[in-house]
Amino acid sequence: MNATLLAVALSLVSAGAYAAAAVAQSRLAGRTDPSTGVLRLLGRGAWWSAVGLNAAGALLHVAALNFGPLTLVQPLGALTLVVAVPLGARAAGRRVGRTEWRGTALTLLGLGALLLTAGGSAPHETLSLPEALGVGAATMAVVAGLGRPGARPGLRHAAASGITSGVASALTQTLTVAVTDHSGGPLFSWRLLTVALLVSAFAMGGLLLSQTAYRGGLGAPLAVVTLANPVAAAAIGLALLGERLQGGPVSLVLALLGTAAAVRGVVLLSRAQARNTDPAAPPEAAVPGDQVPSRVVIGSPRRADTAPPAGVPEPLPAHASG
């Protein structure tokens, strides 16, 4: 098996692990009060299960980055959303809808078109220390703006999570290439130590930001994470790591068409999942989305409590049960 096929295979398994982690995080967010802090999450087994799945996906992703460029490996992360569709539906006890299947097909077609234009050579460039520090500072500034205190959990936190995860992947590639390149400098240096610290910080930051974003449901936040991640990583790869999209104008047109198809597929998936997992549930609710019986238990007592004092001869119980 050549390097490109190995990178694709590892990326596919990594996407499956990330998808399972996203579903686990979403369900945990649905059972957690919004005011719950990070320290409270550390005492829950469900949180550590999600962390373990994310760690497995990250390790597989690191291995893929050792065999393929960012412009090839990162777009495959879109499969996380595709895999999460049946997993999320099964967890919610329902079938995958027609809109979700259309979104899945469009995402796969767009992804295939993008992969045809991606460079297929193994990575060999690395970030210098000033470049790594510049990337880290720019990322922190963007994330601070998107996830500023007081912002309601939602798509901005999802975008910040996708950006931090994409930057962590780009920095990880510098580590893997530098460590496996036996013709370069020393194995341990200030540059590699700095990059390793940045990778750890951004990886954990992306995990916590996604946990916050999933309080509003799974579909739309995961779609934003899926799109922001490869965009951030590919921007670094094209601007600083010497990666190129192969082919001429025809490949550029194919890439644009693939991007349009993938975006349309992601939009369909996010709409369908948002409708199926958290219909009419406010983002600030303690138990959003994927557990229909919980919504009935929360909503019905309020109507029952307010009905007797009102004295209105309307069939309120029948309305509440419907």
Side-chain angles (χ1 to χ4, degrees):
M1 181 181 293
N2 61 34
T4 301
L5 291 179
L6 186 56
V8 171
L10 290 169
S11 297
L12 294 179
V13 184
S14 174
Y18 277 133
V23 174
Q25 284 185 263
S26 176
R27 292 178 63 80
L28 175 61
R31 298 191 298 267
T32 303
D33 190 272
S35 61
T36 301
V38 175
L39 294 179
R40 293 284 297 276
L41 289 176
L42 296 180
R44 300 192 177 186
W47 164 255
W48 289 110
S49 298
V51 170
L53 289 168
N54 273 299
L59 290 175
L60 292 165
H61 187 71
V62 168
L65 288 172
N66 190 42
F67 296 101
L70 285 168
T71 51
L72 172 68
V73 174
Q74 290 303 121
L76 286 169
L79 291 176
T80 298
L81 183 62
V82 175
V83 177
V85 170
L87 287 180
R90 183 174 182 179
R94 60 176 180 82
R95 294 183 178 180
V96 180
R98 186 176 302 176
T99 302
E100 292 171 299
W101 284 126
R102 288 207 315 267
T104 301
L106 281 173
T107 303
L108 288 174
L109 288 174
L111 179 62
L114 288 174
L115 290 178
L116 290 176
T117 65
S121 59
H124 58 276
E125 297 287 341
T126 60
L127 295 173
S128 65
L129 181 57
E131 289 173 338
L133 291 175
V135 168
T139 304
M140 291 178 186
V142 172
V143 171
L146 291 173
R148 63 183 180 273
R152 188 172 65 177
L155 299 186
R156 284 189 296 179
H157 289 83
S161 174
I163 291 171
T164 53
S165 299
V167 172
S169 295
L171 295 171
T172 298
Q173 188 175 76
T174 287
L175 282 179
T176 57
V177 172
V179 169
T180 57
D181 185 10
H182 303 290
S183 62
L187 183 61
F188 297 100
S189 63
W190 283 111
R191 179 179 69 119
L192 295 184
L193 179 60
T194 301
V195 172
L197 291 176
L198 288 174
V199 168
S200 301
F202 288 147
M204 181 55 65
L207 181 62
L208 295 176
L209 285 166
S210 65
Q211 183 66 49
T212 300
Y214 292 149
R215 292 176 185 172
L218 175 64
L222 181 56
V224 174
V225 171
T226 302
L227 287 177
N229 186 312
V231 169
I236 295 174
L238 294 172
L240 299 175
L241 296 176
E243 297 185 5
R244 296 290 182 269
L245 297 178
Q246 61 182 0
V250 176
S251 295
L252 180 59
V253 173
L254 184 62
L256 292 176
L257 292 176
T259 300
V263 169
R264 176 60 179 168
V266 167
V267 168
L268 289 175
L269 286 170
S270 64
R271 288 177 179 174
Q273 289 193 39
R275 183 171 60 250
N276 289 325
T277 57
D278 54 352
E284 64 273 10
V287 184
D290 59 349
Q291 298 179 355
V292 176
S294 298
R295 288 199 306 273
V296 175
V297 172
I298 291 175
S300 296
R302 294 178 181 177
R303 294 171 182 172
D305 293 341
T306 56
V312 180
E314 293 180 2
L316 189 57
H319 174 71
S321 62

